[in-house]
């Protein structure tokens, strides 16, 4: 019998503690938890999430402020979040959190968006996660010099 690939991810994220932290966060957020596809745990109706985020993944736990079924109706977003679960396994668990923060800050400085130039979001699929493709920060109105016609 061949073991599905996601079992290795699930075992790695259990061993590195990231899924346990995700489950603890889900409990603190008052979620309802249900099994998801490919070994994910869907934690719906989370009360504690980053503003603007439709879903957050920690280990194999995907937290959302919506019902868990909402994620199942969005297979591209769920695939995006599953890629983050693989990233936790590749980063040996919780070291992903500060690394993600550094890349999010870099992206925000470059584009004004924490995901557009964030390596983790790009590898998980920007469009699948609902992030825009922005290459650089648009000029601010305050930085533009107003055009004054020459005076006579």
């Amino acid at each position: 019998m061949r073991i599905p690939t996601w079992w290795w991810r699930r075992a790695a994220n259990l061993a590195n503690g990231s899924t346990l932290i995700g489950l603890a966060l889900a409990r603190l957020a008052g979620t309802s938890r249900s099994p998801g596809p490919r070994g994910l745990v869907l934690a719906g109706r989370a009360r504690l999430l980053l503003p603007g985020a439709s879903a957050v993944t920690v280990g194999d736990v995907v937290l959302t402020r919506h019902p868990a079924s909402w994620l199942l109706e969005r297979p591209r977003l769920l695939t995006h979040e599953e890629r983050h679960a693989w990233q936790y396994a590749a980063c040996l668990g919780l070291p992903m959190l500060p690394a993600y923060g550094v890349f999010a800050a870099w992206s925000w400085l470059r584009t004004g968006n924490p995901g557009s130039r964030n390596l983790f979001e790009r590898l998980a699929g920007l469009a699948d996660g609902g992030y825009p493709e922005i290459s650089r920060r648009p000029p601010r109105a305050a930085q533009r010099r107003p055009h004054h016609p020459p005076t006579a």
Side-chain angles (χ1 to χ4, degrees):
M1 180 177 145
R2 187 168 172 221
I3 297 174
T5 309
W6 60 263
W7 283 21
W8 299 110
R9 183 203 70 227
R10 190 172 192 188
N13 285 339
L14 281 170
N16 67 36
S18 60
T19 294
L20 298 176
I21 297 296
L23 290 169
L25 288 173
R27 186 175 182 95
L28 284 172
T31 67
S32 59
R33 289 166 302 285
S34 60
R38 297 174 300 282
L40 295 174
V41 176
L42 306 181
R45 300 200 185 279
R47 293 188 302 257
L48 307 172
L49 276 182
L50 298 172
S54 58
V56 174
T57 299
V58 179
D60 283 348
V61 181
V62 183
L63 297 102
T64 182
R65 65 175 52 104
H66 305 284
S69 60
W70 180 85
L71 283 168
L72 296 172
E73 296 165 2
R74 287 157 179 78
R76 287 181 63 192
L77 177 60
L78 195 54
T79 298
H80 174 89
E81 298 303 328
E82 182 182 4
R83 290 178 189 130
H84 285 313
W86 280 104
Q87 291 168 352
Y88 275 94
C91 291
L92 304 178
L94 298 180
M96 178 171 161
L97 294 174
Y100 184 96
V102 167
F103 283 114
W106 168 254
S107 178
W108 184 83
L109 287 171
R110 296 260 324 194
T111 67
N113 181 290
S116 294
R117 285 286 172 240
N118 181 326
L119 178 65
F120 289 106
E121 294 300 344
R122 294 184 75 76
L123 291 173
L126 285 180
D128 293 342
Y131 290 98
E133 175 67 55
I134 302 172
S135 60
R136 62 179 189 188
R137 183 183 282 274
R140 293 185 197 157
Q143 292 175 336
R144 293 186 192 152
R145 300 179 84 187
H147 175 69
H148 297 289
T151 56

